[in-house]
């Protein structure tokens, strides 16, 4: 074998080595991608399991909440509503209230059905909104009546005025005047 043939074989071997190195690099990159995909897959499976566990725990908490007696559930509901004020959102209704206190809608409907004071969850939420509006009417004299109603969770001022009149026997304006005259007498 002469020197030229030897150099051609060396060049051929170098090209094969380069091709093998490129193929090796591609395989390593593909391996890395597959490893990342596997990690992502297991991460998704772990998250799904965590969500399943949370759903099971939530169902158990709801079952336990459904087992509470009416007075305990009502006290829990009142305390949480007064503390967090979610009812100031006009879209806060029966479904949201049930989720908020961790019970089922059916349990909540039954609770109000047995209640001598509030016939429905909507009545109860309106009552809580009226109490909040009374607070605003008293503590925020610079606010208009409509602003107090809206801040308390009422969207329609006429509905607010009617419910206020039905509940207190006076208009919000009369209530505010009564509060103002009481302050003047102090």
């Amino acid at each position: 074998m002469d020197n030229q043939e030897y150099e051609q074989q060396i060049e051929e071997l170098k090209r094969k080595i380069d091709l093998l190195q490129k193929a090796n690099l591609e395989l390593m990159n593909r391996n890395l991608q597959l490893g990342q995909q596997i990690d992502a897959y297991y991460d998704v499976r772990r998250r799904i399991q965590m969500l399943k566990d949370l759903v099971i725990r939530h169902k158990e908490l709801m079952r336990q909440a459904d087992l509470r007696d009416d007075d305990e559930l009502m006290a829990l509901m009142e305390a949480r509503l007064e503390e967090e004020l979610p009812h100031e959102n006009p879209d806060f209704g029966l479904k949201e209230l049930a989720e908020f206190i961790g019970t089922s809608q059916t349990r909540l409907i039954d609770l109000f059905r047995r209640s001598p004071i509030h016939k429905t969850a909507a009545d109860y939420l309106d009552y809580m909104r009226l109490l909040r509006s009374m607070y605003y009417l008293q503590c925020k004299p610079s606010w208009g009546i409509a602003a107090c109603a809206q801040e308390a969770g009422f969207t329609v001022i006429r509905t607010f005025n009617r419910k206020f009149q039905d509940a207190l026997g006076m208009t919000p304006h009369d209530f505010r005047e009564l509060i103002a005259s009481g302050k003047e007498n102090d």
Side-chain angles (χ1 to χ4, degrees):
M1 185 190 287
D2 69 3
N3 203 15
Q4 190 175 10
E5 287 176 5
Y6 182 69
E7 285 181 21
Q8 285 176 347
Q9 285 181 346
I10 290 175
E11 286 301 316
E12 184 64 30
L13 287 174
K14 284 181 181 179
R15 277 193 296 273
K16 287 181 181 180
I17 289 172
D18 285 343
L19 288 175
L20 287 173
Q21 285 177 338
K22 285 180 186 177
N24 191 31
L25 187 59
E26 287 175 10
L27 285 173
M28 287 173 41
N29 284 334
R30 182 69 179 137
N31 225 3
L32 182 62
Q33 289 173 347
L34 288 174
Q36 290 171 341
Q37 288 175 346
I38 288 172
D39 288 347
Y41 170 77
Y42 282 113
D43 187 51
V44 167
R45 287 197 55 180
R46 183 183 56 81
R47 289 177 187 214
I48 289 171
Q49 187 58 47
M50 286 173 48
L51 287 173
K52 284 180 181 178
D53 293 344
L54 284 173
V55 167
I56 290 168
R57 186 171 185 276
H58 179 72
K59 284 180 180 179
E60 179 61 23
L61 288 173
M62 287 185 70
R63 189 185 68 71
Q64 289 174 4
D66 286 348
L67 296 176
R68 290 187 180 118
D69 71 4
D70 288 356
D71 293 335
E72 184 181 0
L73 188 57
M74 187 63 85
L76 169 74
M77 182 171 51
E78 287 175 356
R80 292 216 41 219
L81 286 173
E82 287 175 16
E83 181 180 320
E84 299 178 38
L85 306 174
H87 54 282
E88 287 186 350
N89 176 349
D91 297 327
F92 190 82
L94 174 68
K95 178 183 175 211
E96 292 79 14
L97 181 59
E99 289 174 4
F100 182 72
I101 61 172
T103 192
S104 65
Q105 291 182 45
T106 304
R107 173 68 170 97
L108 206 52
I109 290 168
D110 290 343
L111 172 72
F112 286 110
R113 204 174 273 147
R114 288 189 294 273
S115 171
I117 300 170
H118 309 288
K119 299 301 176 202
T120 66
D123 291 340
Y124 177 74
L125 290 173
D126 283 344
Y127 167 76
M128 295 300 288
R129 289 177 178 128
L130 282 172
L131 289 177
R132 198 67 187 157
S133 70
M134 291 168 62
Y135 167 80
Y136 289 134
L137 288 166
Q138 181 178 0
C139 296
K140 306 287 185 183
S142 62
W143 289 10
I145 290 174
C148 293
Q150 286 177 337
E151 197 64 30
F154 287 97
T155 54
V156 180
I157 190 69
R158 287 176 36 187
T159 302
F160 165 69
N161 285 330
R162 181 179 44 79
K163 289 184 184 275
F164 198 97
Q165 176 79 37
D166 291 347
L168 282 109
M170 66 177 79
T171 66
H173 180 75
D174 293 340
F175 176 79
R176 188 171 255 177
E177 284 182 352
L178 181 68
I179 296 297
S181 68
K183 288 181 181 178
E184 290 173 5
N185 293 335
D186 286 342

